[in-house]
Amino acid sequence: MEKVFMELVAEWREGEIPAMVERERQITPIRGVAIAVVGPRRAGKTYLLFQTALRLGRENTLYINFEDVRLVGLKPEHFSDFLKALAEAGNPSVLLLDEIQNVPHWGRWVRSLLDKGYMVVVAGSSSKLSLREVPTELRGRYLSFLLLPFSFREFLKARNIAADITASPASRGRILAALREYVEMGGYPEVVMRPDLAQLLLKSYRDTVAYRDVVERHKIRDAASFEVFMSLIEASFGNVFSISAAHRRMRGMGLEKSKKTLANYLKYLEEAFYIITVPKWGPGKTSLLQPRKIYPIDPGYLPKGQWGRKMETAVAVELARRGISPKYYRGKGEVDFITEDEAIQVTYASSPDEIDRRELTSLEEAVKATGKRPLIITWDYEGEIVTRGIRVRAVPLWKWLLFGS
C-alpha cells in the first residue's frame, strides 16, 4: 500500500487543480484538533479542500481522496505505510483527507495523525460523515465546519457580477436578475454551472439523500412509507409542519407509523442536510413533536414560481450559514423568523403598497411579544414603514443577502 500512497502523493504534487469559484468561508487548520467539513451532498466540500491547499501552498499540504479505487482494501495495519509516504513527501503540515469514511476506523487514523503533529481536515459522504458520526469518531478533538451551497455573493461571483451596495440602476437590474435566477434554481455549485441540467441534478440529489442518507443509513425497511412522509414534508416547504397531522394523513392512506417513527424520519432528513427546521418561539423546551416550519436546504428544491416561499427559504439558509438558529412566531398572526435581535417578515413586494397589511399586523404583534427589532425583507423596496407607532425597517433581499441587516 506504500507504493499506492506514493503514487497519490506524486499525482497531487504534479496534477492540476480544476478552476473553481472561490468560497467565502475559509478553513483554518489547527494543531491537535481536526476540522470536519460537514454539509449537504454536492455543496462543494472537495473544492473547498482544493481551495485550502491553494491558499496554504501545495508544498505544505497533501490531498488524498480515499475513494480512489487503488485504496480498496485499505486496513488499519496500512497506517505505517501512510506515515512512511508522508515522511518521503517531506511531511506536509496539513493533510486534506477526502471521503475519509472509506478508511476502516477512520477516527483512530485521524486522532493518531493529530498526535503526531499533523493538522488534519476531513470531509466525506453525508451518509457517513455527519454531525452524529463525527463526535463519536473524533471524541471531542474536532471543530465542525458547515459548508452549504453557494451564498448569493458566491453566486454573483460565479456569474461575474459585482456585489455593489451603491449599485447604479443598470447594475442593480443585473443584481435583481441574478437574484431571481438564484432563488429559482438555488446555489448548488454544479447546478449554477450547468443551469440546463438544474432539475435533473436536483432530483438526483434529492433521491440520493432519500435512499442513501436516510433509508440505507438508518436501515428503514418500509421505504415506500418513508417516501410518502418525505413528500408530505416537501409539500410543507415554507409552512408549519405537524407530526400529528402527518400521522393522521398517513393513517388515512392505510400507512400505520407511530408518531415517534415519523419524528425520527424528520430528524434523519435534518441530519442529512436536506431540510432546515425552525421551532416555534416561546418559553420552555421545544418538543420534536411540536409543529415546526420546514425549509429545504436550497431554494431550488421548491417548485418554480413560488417566489414568497423561495425568498423565505433563501433567508432561512442564509441564517443557517451565519450560524443563527431562528424561531418562528405564531399568535393571532405569524412572523417568519425571530432571531436574538430581530423579528423578520419576508414578503415578495417591491413597494409599500404591495405589502399585505396582515403581515405588518403580525409583525407588530410579534414585536410587542418578543421585544425584538422589526425588519421586513422585501423583493426590492428599501425604506421605513410606520405602523401603529412602530417603525419597521424594510430592506431588499439582495442587499440583506449580500451585506446583512
Side-chain angles (χ1 to χ4, degrees), residues 222-352:
D222 190 355
S225 291
F226 172 75
E227 181 65 39
V228 170
F229 177 82
M230 192 168 175
S231 68
L232 295 178
I233 287 281
E234 291 165 336
S236 299
F237 280 164
N239 289 319
V240 172
F241 179 81
S242 165
I243 291 291
S244 297
H247 180 259
R248 290 193 297 271
R249 183 85 176 272
M250 292 182 70
R251 176 179 286 177
M253 301 177 190
L255 302 173
E256 286 289 345
K257 296 293 175 184
S258 69
K259 291 182 181 180
K260 182 177 180 181
T261 295
L262 299 185
N264 283 334
Y265 287 172
L266 182 68
K267 181 177 66 174
Y268 298 158
L269 286 169
E270 190 171 16
E271 289 177 348
F273 299 101
Y274 183 65
I275 61 172
I276 296 171
T277 66
V278 178
K280 184 178 178 182
W281 179 87
K285 295 182 179 180
T286 302
S287 167
L288 191 60
L289 295 177
Q290 187 181 38
R292 296 176 174 231
K293 290 194 79 171
I294 305 290
Y295 297 95
I297 200 66
D298 185 82
Y301 282 123
L302 280 159
K304 288 185 176 181
Q306 295 189 5
W307 295 110
R309 292 188 185 185
K310 283 178 172 288
M311 286 178 65
E312 270 189 61
T313 298
V315 171
V317 174
E318 183 62 26
L319 288 171
R321 184 178 288 109
R322 296 175 186 177
I324 297 171
S325 300
K327 297 184 178 181
Y328 74 92
Y329 175 86
R330 173 169 280 187
K332 293 180 180 178
E334 185 175 304
V335 170
D336 299 318
F337 306 104
I338 305 294
T339 69
E340 185 175 343
D341 301 311
E342 294 176 315
I344 302 173
Q345 194 76 295
V346 183
T347 181
Y348 184 53
S350 297
S351 70

